[in-house]
Amino acid sequence: MAVHRKVIFEKQWFYLDNAIGHIYGTTFEVSSGGSLQPKEKMEETTTDTKEAGTDNRNIVDDGKSQKLTHDDIKALKDKGIKGQEIVQQLIENSTTFRGKTEFAQDKYIKKKKKKYEAVITIVKPSTRILSTMYYAREPGKINHLRYDTLAQMLTLGNIRAGNKMIVMETCAGLVLGAIMERMGGYGSIIQMYPGGGPVRAATSCFGFPEFFFNTLYEFPLSKVDSLVSGTFSSETLPSEPEYNVPVEEERNGSLDEKQTLTQETEEESSTEAVVESNETEEQETMDLAAEDTEYKETKEKGNKENIREKQRKQQERRRKLVETAALLEEKNADGLIVASRFHPTPLLLSLLEFVAPSRPFVVYCQYKEPLLECYTKLREKGGVINLKLSETWLRNYQVLPDRSHPKLTMSGGGGYLLSGITVTAEKVQSDASSLEGQKMEEPTSKKRKLQELHC
């Protein structure tokens, strides 16, 4: 966690310095200046307003029930009065509070606390929290993948520790992080990615320890066809343009030219060292040339170190890609998860080649039609059983004493899932051919029996 890092959350801003060393679940109060102070156990708002009305039919929301103005509330904040005391002042200066029902009073207090009490609780990141946050705030980044649909994917995909999973997702790394969390750092995960590299913005928010990433591999989608056809080799791996050697040669040439120029200037200065003014000017030029060469030498050393670092990273990347290709070529993955913005049919048909028989696969898509096409293609090709196209239905409930009911607003849709289990296609075809052969043989045997009876 960065020291003196400013965080802006909704309408609050604060620094996380004082949060270091506290456990997850600690509640802090944001004091003046944005510093966090651990808050004692939450105290109930003690008010003498135990009176409550029977119903709210006579209450009119005309904006005149509150005696305190915005300037008065601002003045209370400037004096350093805490949010709990401001809420108490609002209750005392409300002309309609006593006439509200008990439930309405609780709702009013809760609303004012949220507005005026600067209290935050730091919780441990999890799949449920991050998926709920992404779906509520930025659903487009996760292809509108709802949290209950993600839970269904993890269940249907049989995600567990020790698995060898293949993941293809464009959900900012949320699906990848959910799989890593469930596997607990045991097993191996191969992430297929489009473009130049994988996107793991949500994965970094989980706060996984370093050893979780030791079993995470990545492989570009552009190399899948060559891997399936058997033409893949390390020579075809993407590499950076080889411009390092020419650049060094140019730099060495420029340095040689600079050295010859300085030698010429030194010869000229020795021949023309007659007048004192010329000597001082030549001395200044020599000093500048020396400083320039020193600067060039230090810059050259830094560039050489950068070039070596790039080459080392490139070699490490090549080694990891070769290891990932070897894992895929074993074709014994324990499952396949696909959740991307691309059409699922070509992705699924190509990636199923690396999955072992009797293993589950799950495909997510925001729309039903691409999965219907994928379902038809799989039925035509064979090699899969128990194909199911499903949609999860979600309704949130308010659970409170004497007022539990479904919430008025609910999600319109959380996407669709296509799931199934892989089987060995060759055995199925051989069994089918033997059955057809038996059916073809039945008429000839019956004819022979009839001939024997007639004889």
Side-chain angles (χ1 to χ4, degrees), residues 134-135 138-147 149 153 168-175 338-343 347 364-367 413-416:
Y134 266 100
Y135 188 76
E138 298 174 318
K141 288 188 176 181
I142 59 171
N143 299 328
H144 296 266
L145 175 63
R146 204 169 56 196
Y147 41 90
T149 308
M153 291 176 65
M168 166 55 200
E169 62 114 313
T170 56
C171 300
L174 179 63
V175 178
V338 178
S340 72
R341 63 178 183 273
F342 304 111
H343 200 288
L347 286 173
Y364 166 80
C365 187
Q366 186 184 354
Y367 306 103
Y416 300 85

Side-chain angles (χ1 to χ4, degrees), residues 4 172 186 233 256 266 293 304 373 377 379 390 400 453:
H4 206 67
Y186 299 96
S233 65
D256 293 339
E266 287 176 358
T293 52
K304 283 183 179 179
E373 182 181 344
K377 292 287 185 182
R379 291 297 297 268
S390 60
L400 292 171
L453 289 171

Side-chain angles (χ1 to χ4, degrees), residues 411-434:
S411 173
Y416 300 85
L417 293 178
L418 176 64
S419 60
I421 298 175
T422 60
V423 293
T424 305
E426 289 79 6
K427 291 182 181 179
V428 174
Q429 291 176 359
S430 63
D431 293 342
S433 61
S434 63

Side-chain angles (χ1 to χ4, degrees), residues 59-344:
I59 297 175
V60 180
D61 187 11
D62 54 1
K64 299 178 181 178
S65 59
Q66 183 55 246
K67 297 178 182 178
L68 292 179
T69 62
H70 290 288
D71 295 334
D72 297 334
I73 297 172
K74 187 178 179 182
L76 292 174
K77 287 182 178 180
D78 294 338
K79 290 179 181 178
I81 297 177
K82 294 184 178 181
Q84 188 173 355
E85 297 177 5
I86 294 176
V87 173
Q88 182 66 30
Q89 291 285 336
L90 291 171
I91 293 172
E92 293 175 357
N93 287 277
S94 175
T95 58
T96 58
F97 184 82
R98 296 178 185 274
K100 293 181 179 181
T101 62
E102 184 180 352
F103 297 148
Q105 288 179 357
D106 293 340
K107 192 174 180 180
Y108 178 87
I109 293 171
K110 185 178 179 181
K111 182 180 177 181
K112 296 304 179 183
K113 277 185 176 181
K114 185 178 179 181
K115 186 174 181 179
Y116 295 106
E117 284 191 4
V119 177
I120 62 166
T121 303
I122 299 178
V123 296
K124 187 176 182 179
S126 64
T127 300
R128 182 177 181 84
I129 291 173
L130 289 173
S131 59
T132 305
M133 184 273 294
Y134 266 100
Y135 188 76
R137 293 178 175 271
E138 298 174 318
K141 288 188 176 181
I142 59 171
N143 299 328
H144 296 266
L145 175 63
R146 204 169 56 196
Y147 41 90
D148 61 310
T149 308
L150 177 58
Q152 290 288 326
M153 291 176 65
L154 298 176
T155 303
L156 293 172
N158 193 25
I159 310 299
R160 57 184 176 82
N163 272 8
K164 180 181 178 181
M165 298 299 302
I166 299 177
V167 183
M168 166 55 200
E169 62 114 313
T170 56
C171 300
L174 179 63
V175 178
L176 175 65
I179 295 173
M180 291 175 67
E181 182 187 58
R182 179 154 301 192
M183 292 179 64
Y186 299 96
S188 58
I189 304 173
I190 303 171
Q191 183 184 12
M192 317 300 290
Y193 63 88
V199 179
R200 297 172 183 168
T203 310
S204 61
C205 296
F206 280 85
F208 292 131
E210 189 176 352
F211 76 92
F212 271 54
F213 295 92
N214 295 335
T215 57
L216 178 60
Y217 301 87
E218 56 192 48
F219 195 82
L221 279 175
S222 57
K223 302 299 177 183
V224 171
D225 291 336
S226 61
L227 193 61
V228 172
S229 60
T231 59
F232 175 81
S233 65
S234 59
E235 300 295 330
T236 61
L237 293 176
S239 59
E240 295 179 357
E242 298 180 356
Y243 57 85
N244 297 337
V245 176
V247 169
E248 288 183 0
E249 290 177 354
E250 289 179 4
R251 285 173 181 159
N252 291 333
S254 62
L255 286 172
D256 293 339
E257 291 177 1
K258 192 68 181 175
Q259 288 176 358
T260 54
L261 287 173
T262 53
Q263 288 176 359
E264 290 176 0
T265 53
E266 287 176 358
E267 291 175 358
E268 290 176 0
S269 63
S270 62
T271 54
E272 296 178 359
V274 180
V275 186
E276 292 181 358
S277 61
N278 291 338
E279 287 181 356
T280 55
E281 290 178 0
E282 288 164 4
Q283 186 65 30
E284 289 177 358
T285 55
M286 288 173 65
D287 293 339
L288 289 172
E291 290 176 0
D292 195 11
T293 52
E294 289 178 1
Y295 173 74
K296 289 289 184 182
E297 285 176 359
T298 55
K299 190 175 181 182
E300 182 188 3
K301 288 180 182 178
N303 289 329
K304 283 183 179 179
E305 290 177 358
N306 291 335
I307 291 167
R308 290 172 186 169
E309 183 66 19
K310 285 182 180 179
Q311 290 176 347
R312 187 188 64 79
K313 288 182 179 179
Q314 187 64 25
Q315 290 175 357
E316 181 68 18
R317 185 165 175 263
R318 281 176 176 271
R319 185 184 63 80
K320 289 282 286 185
L321 283 172
V322 171
E323 290 180 4
T324 308
L327 288 174
L328 289 171
E329 285 175 343
E330 294 174 0
K331 296 185 178 180
N332 61 350
D334 294 317
L336 172 64
I337 304 292
V338 178
S340 72
R341 63 178 183 273
F342 304 111
H343 200 288

